[in-house]
């Protein structure tokens, strides 16, 4: 049974990757958004490196957070429209496991490239070299939490009018702890060289909490939306 | 043996909830309670205001500005209590499919949001004389602001779903997720605040609380709590009538009062 | 204490009274709005009763 379940989860995961891959423009949108938003800040603030360095951790993290929020709309929407979510609901495996696979695939295609791309933008934002490792680490720990939490409002707003904007309204207040510790971790290692281990381990704790809670909550949300 | 008796207890409790949890029974019960609740609220508020504005002495540091506390603290307290109440009602409605709990959760949201807004505005009006500016990213004010966003999100979700049952269940999940998150948000914001302003002033720690200040504060807090309960009943009654508009008892009630 | 002396709360008069004023406005709004709502619901229910039994208007509140 467990082997079956793992097999099914892997099948969903691979299917998601393929489906997302075929519609790669949607995947790219979030990444391009991330790049453009961070580029806007120097234009608004000015090219002064000292000032940019000061705001860099916050800007990079807010941009990453917004890009993740933007991508949430693609998490369930197409499967909702073509009915494959309902099939998933009727499958013999627990819905939360299937949802977990979907979220994982979604993160691999949005959060992971975002974290890997961030060093380039960090250089653009004049972030010191010593902080870049922390930036990537904090994004690697933080973005999966964001996707996991965001899956709940994304599931709740399926087929609801004004869904896209509504998702961001619902999810952004819930993102504040991750934002605080993520940006703080980067700022700490960019500034006086405070150890950012504490921040990163808290981000890890958030991730563990989200992992144990979000798949259940979002599968419950899907059940309500598909009712 | 013990298991049996506790099981019996739970069944009895559920029976009791079902008896008074029927919208019709609640409608009648709330109807008789509202005038009494309203009167008690008014008395408490008048006495609390009198004691707070006349009787309590000036604070030697803040002068009279501390008197804003008597509206700020009760509203801040109720903003949090209302969220807890909303999440509990929502969870009960979701788990046991209780229509009354759905209604109570829904009508709590605008009340809670208005408490939060009042706490924010009075807090910043208190902040101006104390800090010299209307807005400081104080831990208390910041988490109050995020709480306000959570209320707004809940109401937006309720408003955007037409089907009453789906709206109730969807927003219930959101309320529960929010309730799990609130302590985390709260402590994150506190930590963030102490990191950036290690030795700043906080509002309520500033004046030393004397008994003459504590009494009006408690009275006002009680008054706002009762105000919430009263308006909860009034709002829930309208909502019940509308949702049960096809039920016999509502038709009879409307027919008898035309 | 006389009324003008009471209304004059020292240096912070404006802040104190605007805080209390705002709280009062919100409290009054919280009382008035549900009462208006209740009247609307009653009117609609009466209209529905007059319009015949089955026809219920699906209006949003």
């Amino acid at each position: 049974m467990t082997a079956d379940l793992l097999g099914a989860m892997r099948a969903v995961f691979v299917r998601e990757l393929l489906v997302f891959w075929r519609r790669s423009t949607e995947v790219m949108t979030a990444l391009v958004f991330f790049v453009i938003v961070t580029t806007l800040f120097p234009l608004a603030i000015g090219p002064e490196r000292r000032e940019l360095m000061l705001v860099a951790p916050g800007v990079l993290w807010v941009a990453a957070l917004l890009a993740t929020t933007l991508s949430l709309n693609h998490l369930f929407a197409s499967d909702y429209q073509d009915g494959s979510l309902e099939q998933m609901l009727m499958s013999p495996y627990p819905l939360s496991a299937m949802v977990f696979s979907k979220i994982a695939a979604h993160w691999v295609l949005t959060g992971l490239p975002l974290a890997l791309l961030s060093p380039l933008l960090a250089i653009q934002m004049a972030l010191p070299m010593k902080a870049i490792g922390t930036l990537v680490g904090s994004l690697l720990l933080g973005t999966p939490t964001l996707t996991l939490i965001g899956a709940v409002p994304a599931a709740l707003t399926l087929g609801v009018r004004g869904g896209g904007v509504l998702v961001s309204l619902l999810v952004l207040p819930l993102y504040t702890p991750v934002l605080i510790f993520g940006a703080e971790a980067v700022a700490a290692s960019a500034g006086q060289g405070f150890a950012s281990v504490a921040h990163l381990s808290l981000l890890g704790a958030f991730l563990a909490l989200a992992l144990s809670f979000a798949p259940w909550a979002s599968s419950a949300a899907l059940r309500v939306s598909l009712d | 043996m013990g298991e049996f008796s506790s099981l019996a207890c739970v069944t009895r409790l559920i029976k009791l909830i079902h008896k008074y949890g029927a919208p019709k029974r609640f409608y009648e019960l709330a109807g008789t309670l509202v005038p009494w609740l309203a009167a008690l609220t008014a008395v408490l508020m008048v006495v609390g205001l009198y004691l707070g504005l006349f009787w309590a002495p000036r604070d030697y540091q803040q002068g009279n500005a501390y008197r804003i506390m008597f509206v700020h603290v009760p509203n801040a307290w109720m903003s949090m209590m209302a969220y807890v109440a909303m999440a509990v009602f929502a969870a009960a409605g979701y788990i046991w499919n209780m229509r009354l709990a759905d209604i109570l959760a829904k009508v709590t949201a605008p009340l809670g949001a208005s408490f939060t807004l009042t706490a924010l505005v009075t807090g910043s009006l208190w902040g101006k004389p104390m800090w010299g500016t209307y807005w400081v990213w104080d831990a208390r004010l910041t988490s109050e602001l995020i709480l306000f966003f959570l209320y707004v999100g809940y109401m937006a979700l309720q408003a955007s779903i037409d089907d009453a049952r789906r709206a109730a269940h969807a927003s219930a999940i959101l309320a529960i997720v929010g309730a799990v998150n609130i302590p985390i948000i709260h402590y994150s914001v506190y930590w963030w605040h102490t990191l950036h302003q290690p030795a700043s002033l906080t509002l309520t720690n500033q004046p030393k609380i004397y008994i003459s200040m504590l009494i009006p504060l408690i009275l006002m807090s009680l008054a706002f709590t009762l105000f919430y309960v009263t308006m909860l009943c009034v709002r829930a009654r309208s909502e019940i009538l509308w949702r049960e508009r096809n039920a016999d008892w509502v038709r009879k009630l409307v027919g008898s009062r035309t | 204490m006389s009324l003008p002396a009471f209304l004059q709360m020292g240096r912070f008069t404006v802040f104190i009274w605007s805080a209390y004023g705002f709280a009062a406005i919100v409290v009054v709004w919280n009382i008035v709005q549900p009462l208006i709502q209740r009247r609307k619901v009653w009117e609609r229910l009466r209209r529905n009763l007059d319009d015949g039994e089955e026809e219920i208007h699906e209006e949003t509140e």
Side-chain angles (χ1 to χ4, degrees), chain B residues 35-66:
Chain B
W36 297 98
L37 285 169
L40 196 57
T41 308
V43 169
L44 277 172
M45 208 165 277
V46 167
V47 175
L49 280 175
Y50 174 79
L51 292 182
L53 290 172
F54 287 90
W55 181 69
R58 280 169 59 96
D59 182 68
Y60 71 99
Q61 264 182 319
Q62 294 198 12
N64 281 320
Y66 87 93

Side-chain angles (χ1 to χ4, degrees), chain B residues 88 141 151 184 196 203:
Chain B
V88 169
L141 283 177
Y151 275 120
I184 300 173
H196 287 277
L203 286 178

Side-chain angles (χ1 to χ4, degrees), chain B residues 142-198:
Chain B
T142 308
S143 44
E144 200 72 22
L145 186 63
I146 294 170
L147 185 66
F148 184 66
F149 295 152
L150 287 175
Y151 275 120
V152 171
Y154 178 91
M155 289 193 289
L157 186 63
Q158 279 271 8
S160 58
I161 304 175
D162 290 326
D163 177 51
R165 214 176 87 96
R166 190 188 157 187
H169 284 185
S171 49
I173 291 173
L174 185 71
I176 296 165
V177 171
V180 171
N181 258 281
I182 279 179
I184 300 173
I185 293 173
H186 191 74
Y187 285 111
S188 305
V189 167
Y190 263 75
W191 175 84
W192 162 81
H193 181 252
T194 48
L195 186 83
H196 287 277
Q197 280 166 306

Side-chain angles (χ1 to χ4, degrees), chain B residues 62 67 114 235 245 251, chain C residues 20 30 33 53 56 58:
Chain B
Q62 294 198 12
R67 293 185 202 273
S114 70
R235 279 172 180 273
R245 58 190 178 272
R251 285 168 178 247
Chain C
Y20 275 85
N30 264 331
Q33 200 266 334
E53 300 299 302
I56 295 289
E58 281 296 338

